[in-house]
Amino acid sequence: MGDKPQKPRYLTKSLYKIGRACPTRLYYTKKPTEYADKSLDDPFLKALAEGGFQVGALAQCYYPEGIGIETLDHDEAVRQTEEYLQRDQVVLFEPALRFENLFVRADILVKDGNHVRLIEVKAKSFDPDSLLEEIWGKAKGQVKPPALRKNILSSYREYIFDIAFQTYVLQKAHPEFSVTPFLMGPDKSRKTTVDGLNQKFFLVKDGKYTSVKTEGDVSPLALGEKILIEADMSEPVNLILSGQEQGEEVSGLSFEEEIELFSQSYFQDEKINIPIGAQCKHCQFRCSAEGLKNGFQECMKAQGVKPHDLDGPFVFDVWNYKRTQSCMDQGKILMCHLTEDDFGNNQSEDPFALSYAERQKKQVQMQNECCEVPYCQTEGLKNCIEDFEYPLHFIDFETSRVAIPFSAGKRPYEQIAFQFSHHVLEKDGTIRHMGQYINLDQGYFPNFDFVRALKKELHHDEGTIFRYSHHENTVLCDIHSQLAKSTEPDKDELMAFIETITTKKDPENKGEFLWQGKRNMVDLCELVIKYYMHPSIVNGSNSIKYVLPAILNESKFLQNKYSKNIYGKQKPISSLNMDEKTWIQFEGKEVLDPYKQLDPVFTDYDRTTLDLLMPEDEIQNGGAAMTAYARCQFTKMSIEERQKIKEALLKYCELDTLAMVMIYEYWLALLRGEERRVA
Ligand code: SF4
């Protein structure tokens, strides 16, 4: 028997993207038996989480004459593509383009004679009237003179370089073609004219393959007014191809030099060593797994970091720090290398609150001194707490934005609020899981029911309402706009309710507000940022997924209270979803993270994979809920499967609001002097 043929080591679109983020990563990539990698590698979950799969399928429907190149075999795909390209006119989906060891599967290619339109379909929405201005870093209506258009805005670089890479490969493979590159994506200013558009595209998982299936009539006529548009990207792409784009690259090389280096190094499996820098913060190889190497640590060692410093904390672990790259350029790699001069000196208006710079300094100081006791500015916290009115309400929303709208008259990426949870804390200490809402029905737009249910929960009293992020305010303001355009019979009442509990800035007049609710929600996360820090959260994150385990390990009050069997449907602390639950459970000396005590949202994935849906610096844990919502909307499943997901989501959201209550209870104990702290 002969050896198994080696997979060709082509530089593809995804590898080019990885190389652009950091060229060294190319060496560690696609070596699952050698290097630990924490990036999400499941195509089905990825498609659900990123949500772009429907956009790609809809784009193809706009070209009914298109021919798909379906084979996954590189040589065969290239052969078929080349055969079709012999035709004078042809539209191809997923054509395979190869030049030397560069290999690209483009999204859509439209050939007419020798002219080719190369269309990259992205889920990112844009406004075609202002796209080019935005790419050059200008606001709508502000035109940058052509001579100054040399630097592509960072938020667009990844997309435009991707299109430039594909254009480069096509031009090299077919120099006889004149190529015009296009970006195709949802136009956020357009409304769909058909109901149920997004229920025409379903995601199907078949073993390790994921595909999109269409349902019903998907002819251009049945799809109504186009909501995806194509924008000509010739100007920025040509600037890149000519080597005149002036933005800074991690590699420090020109476009062609980069491609040459990446393709050669990847082909020969050689590591490209570049200096460690700000890019290392989000390195997918910053992780360990039994029997596998740690690529991140390999890089650190190669740059002189001592073995005992390989776990940091590093400069890029400083919370919200904007000077990472300049400090690392000066050789400051670890937090302990930072000095007073490396921080700003801005002060907070509240004399007791930490400004961002003070919070960063405090974090670094606590890490450098190996502090174990949390910081709390009790005076500031006390002042705030004295103003709060009982009963206290704790709410958390789960939301999604789907690229293709549910119903006629809606735009791409409308806000969808499908779930909330609500806990109440009374003045006498009574805690109740007061209410909740969830709607996962396929094709149903839940927002107006959601806000009706929320109003019902909150209108009984004037108690302070807490959220843990600005997200809840944004969602309600978005629903306010949707209501204004709706014909809902009670829309005035619902909009008036939203105005009482939110704040909305006037987009036309800086510093002015359209409204500031008299019962405006209080952001508990902001209170954490201003007054509290636990040294066990090394990266200074304020995400509830870090703060909750930290305070549960810290607080004697919480450990004592929640190690008893007091939480559940018939228990002193009532629950709507759990029969009984003892939240404090120890694993050795550590309290087991409550989020890890709940069943995973999907039963066919392990927890480690599902955790990858939650980016580390996300304020909320919404990634898994959003993905679960997408799965309920855009895949076929049984009633039982849907019910299981619903039950799991209800528990997670319940825990989100309970976590807020626990943080609050802990602070009350701290203010009573029952907990340790440093000032
Ligand atoms: S640790 Fe830094 S240099 Fe090494 S691969 Fe990761 S991002 Fe690149």
Side-chain angles (χ1 to χ4, degrees):
M1 250 173 37
D3 287 342
K4 203 175 158 195
Q6 291 270 309
K7 274 197 174 174
R9 290 184 65 84
Y10 291 127
L11 185 73
T12 59
K13 283 199 286 186
S14 57
L15 287 168
Y16 175 64
K17 185 175 151 194
I18 289 172
R20 281 185 45 76
C22 169
T24 314
R25 289 185 203 173
L26 279 175
Y27 180 73
Y28 303 134
T29 299
K30 291 186 186 283
K31 292 180 177 165
T33 56
E34 195 178 350
Y35 285 97
D37 182 346
K38 62 179 175 181
S39 59
L40 180 60
D41 195 27
D42 184 277
F44 180 71
L45 282 184
K46 229 173 162 174
L48 286 172
E50 291 169 2
F53 64 93
Q54 290 193 311
V55 177
L58 178 61
Q60 293 190 354
C61 292
Y62 289 154
Y63 287 94
E65 71 278 37
I67 302 164
I69 307 291
E70 282 166 12
T71 174
L72 295 176
D73 180 87
H74 289 82
D75 292 336
E76 178 56 17
V78 171
R79 194 197 63 73
Q80 288 182 16
T81 303
E82 290 302 324
E83 200 173 298
Y84 283 120
L85 286 178
Q86 302 295 319
R87 296 186 185 178
D88 194 45
Q89 292 185 325
V90 72
V91 176
L92 298 178
F93 302 145
E94 305 273 325
L97 309 167
R98 182 167 59 193
F99 173 69
E100 295 176 347
N101 56 327
L102 310 178
F103 182 87
V104 156
R105 298 295 296 255
D107 288 333
I108 302 176
L109 184 154
V110 182
K111 179 173 183 273
D112 185 2
N114 265 354
H115 181 242
V116 171
R117 288 151 44 87
L118 186 67
I119 303 168
E120 170 67 10
V121 183
K122 291 280 183 219
K124 182 181 170 71
S125 64
F126 56 87
D127 178 348
D129 297 335
S130 58
L131 178 63
L132 270 180
E133 289 136 19
E134 281 175 30
I135 286 174
W136 302 122
K138 284 282 175 190
K140 191 171 184 173
Q142 297 178 341
V143 180
K144 206 171 196 174
L148 299 179
R149 298 186 203 163
K150 298 286 180 210
N151 203 331
I152 295 170
L153 192 70
S154 58
S155 53
Y156 282 97
R157 295 182 73 76
E158 185 185 313
Y159 303 109
I160 311 291
F161 272 82
D162 179 1
I163 303 171
F165 177 62
Q166 296 176 52
T167 308
Y168 177 83
V169 177
L170 177 57
Q171 284 181 339
K172 289 287 180 189
H174 286 279
E176 72 280 14
F177 291 164
S178 101
V179 183
T180 310
F182 285 85
L183 175 63
M184 187 179 196
D187 177 349
K188 52 189 173 190
S189 65
R190 292 198 191 186
K191 293 175 184 171
T192 180
T193 49
V194 292
D195 280 325
L197 187 60
N198 73 17
Q199 292 299 306
K200 289 177 182 283
F201 305 97
F202 283 86
L203 199 64
V204 179
K205 187 182 172 200
D206 184 7
K208 58 180 187 160
Y209 298 108
T210 296
S211 59
V212 182
K213 293 267 178 283
T214 55
E215 200 163 276
D217 187 355
V218 290
S219 64
L221 198 65
L223 298 174
E225 194 76 29
K226 269 192 178 181
I227 55 163
L228 304 185
I229 43 122
E230 292 167 23
D232 186 341
M233 290 292 102
S234 297
E235 188 186 348
V237 166
N238 288 340
L239 188 78
I240 294 170
L241 294 176
S242 65
Q244 292 177 60
E245 204 278 335
Q246 292 173 356
E248 268 189 32
E249 297 307 325
V250 175
S251 68
L253 299 171
S254 72
F255 175 71
E256 275 202 62
E257 287 169 343
E258 245 190 7
I259 292 179
E260 177 68 19
L261 178 69
F262 293 177
S263 63
Q264 286 308 317
S265 306
Y266 187 71
F267 183 72
Q268 287 157 7
D269 196 16
E270 285 175 357
K271 195 191 273 188
I272 306 167
N273 288 307
I274 62 144
I276 51 177
Q279 77 276 9
C280 303
K281 181 181 174 79
H282 297 293
C283 182
Q284 70 210 67
F285 302 102
R286 190 180 184 185
C287 55
S288 303
E290 215 181 311
L292 295 178
K293 293 191 249 182
N294 182 321
F296 173 89
Q297 293 195 345
E298 225 170 76
C299 288
M300 295 296 143
K301 263 189 247 169
Q303 310 257 335
V305 176
K306 302 270 179 334
H308 58 269
D309 288 327
L310 287 174
D311 288 327
F314 297 95
V315 168
F316 43 77
D317 293 322
V318 179
W319 173 76
N320 209 17
Y321 192 50
K322 306 284 185 255
R323 302 187 189 185
T324 302
Q325 192 57 55
S326 64
C327 286
M328 292 186 79
D329 288 344
Q330 298 165 43
K332 297 178 178 185
I333 295 169
L334 298 163
M335 270 194 204
C336 60
H337 296 150
L338 296 174
T339 63
E340 188 73 24
D341 295 341
D342 293 317
F343 299 95
N345 50 14
N346 62 324
Q347 305 268 314
S348 170
E349 277 174 23
D350 171 352
F352 300 113
L354 291 172
S355 67
Y356 277 23
E358 287 166 340
R359 187 169 178 82
Q360 291 159 348
K361 267 190 267 185
K362 180 64 75 184
Q363 178 196 355
V364 171
Q365 180 202 345
M366 289 177 105
Q367 294 305 321
N368 289 347
E369 292 171 1
C370 299
C371 189
E372 288 181 352
V373 183
Y375 164 83
C376 185
Q377 218 309 332
T378 46
E379 205 60 38
L381 198 57
K382 196 162 136 243
N383 289 344
C384 292
I385 281 180
E386 277 171 359
D387 287 343
F388 299 148
E389 206 165 307
Y390 283 94
L392 306 180
H393 302 268
F394 299 84
I395 59 168
D396 178 69
F397 298 172
E398 297 301 347
T399 63
S400 178
R401 283 182 185 272
V402 294
I404 303 180
F406 284 93
S407 49
K410 294 274 185 296
R411 294 187 166 86
Y413 290 109
E414 290 260 7
Q415 185 73 257
I416 308 286
F418 62 89
Q419 183 181 11
F420 73 71
S421 168
H422 173 209
H423 264 91
V424 164
L425 171 60
E426 302 280 0
K427 195 165 189 174
D428 65 2
T430 307
I431 297 165
R432 277 191 305 280
H433 186 213
M434 186 79 182
Q436 59 188 0
Y437 173 87
I438 188 163
N439 191 322
L440 304 172
D441 294 350
Q442 279 190 327
Y444 185 74
F445 182 72
N447 291 15
F448 302 148
D449 289 349
F450 172 98
V451 82
R452 273 181 202 109
L454 187 70
K455 179 171 175 280
K456 221 166 158 187
E457 291 284 321
L458 297 171
H459 83 288
H460 304 288
D461 56 63
E462 288 299 308
T464 305
I465 305 164
F466 294 93
R467 51 185 162 89
Y468 199 92
S469 139
H470 53 80
H471 182 61
E472 279 67 21
N473 192 75
T474 310
V475 173
L476 286 174
C477 290
D478 287 348
I479 298 178
H480 186 281
S481 309
Q482 292 165 345
L483 279 165
K485 291 174 208 137
S486 78
T487 52
E488 295 297 303
D490 52 349
K491 69 180 205 176
D492 291 339
E493 207 181 296
L494 296 175
M495 285 161 70
F497 161 69
I498 290 174
E499 285 170 27
T500 61
I501 66 168
T502 58
T503 298
K504 172 117 176 164
K505 284 191 179 144
D506 184 349
E508 307 294 329
N509 296 302
K510 212 174 167 208
E512 300 291 319
F513 288 89
L514 290 178
W515 67 79
Q516 282 180 288
K518 64 178 176 27
R519 201 183 164 201
N520 189 23
M521 294 177 284
V522 174
D523 188 349
L524 209 57
C525 183
E526 250 175 46
L527 300 186
V528 172
I529 292 172
K530 284 180 178 169
Y531 306 118
Y532 185 80
M533 190 184 309
H534 200 285
S536 67
I537 308 173
V538 175
N539 63 6
S541 169
N542 310 299
S543 159
I544 211 158
K545 78 172 172 173
Y546 285 96
V547 175
L548 178 66
I551 64 149
L552 287 180
N553 276 294
E554 174 62 36
S555 169
K556 294 291 163 260
F557 171 82
L558 293 178
Q559 287 177 11
N560 185 31
K561 179 169 180 177
Y562 290 95
S563 58
K564 299 188 180 106
N565 188 8
I566 54 166
Y567 195 88
K569 284 185 181 163
Q570 306 295 329
K571 302 286 176 185
I573 302 180
S574 67
S575 162
L576 293 171
N577 305 301
M578 301 177 211
D579 292 332
E580 56 175 17
K581 180 80 198 139
T582 305
W583 288 108
I584 298 292
Q585 293 179 28
F586 281 90
E587 204 177 39
K589 285 187 177 160
E590 295 278 302
V591 174
L592 190 60
D593 183 343
Y595 286 99
K596 295 198 163 57
Q597 296 178 33
L598 297 179
D599 288 336
V601 178
F602 302 143
T603 46
D604 50 347
Y605 284 96
D606 61 31
R607 187 177 301 283
T608 318
T609 308
L610 291 174
D611 281 350
L612 298 175
L613 291 169
M614 301 176 192
E616 275 170 23
D617 44 9
E618 283 263 299
I619 289 291
Q620 290 286 51
N621 293 349
M626 219 185 292
T627 308
Y629 182 72
R631 192 167 187 180
C632 289
Q633 290 299 316
F634 310 125
T635 68
K636 302 281 183 194
M637 62 171 69
S638 66
I639 295 172
E640 293 74 35
E641 280 176 291
R642 186 179 301 273
Q643 186 57 26
K644 276 216 164 80
I645 290 178
K646 189 172 176 176
E647 283 166 14
L649 285 179
L650 285 170
K651 287 180 184 170
Y652 274 94
C653 202
E654 176 174 343
L655 177 54
D656 283 334
T657 45
L658 176 65
M660 293 162 71
V661 174
M662 286 175 167
I663 293 170
Y664 198 88
E665 284 188 287
Y666 161 58
W667 282 345
L668 291 179
L670 224 154
L671 294 180
R672 292 194 299 269
E674 295 169 19
E675 305 278 359
R676 61 181 191 159
R677 66 169 185 100
V678 286

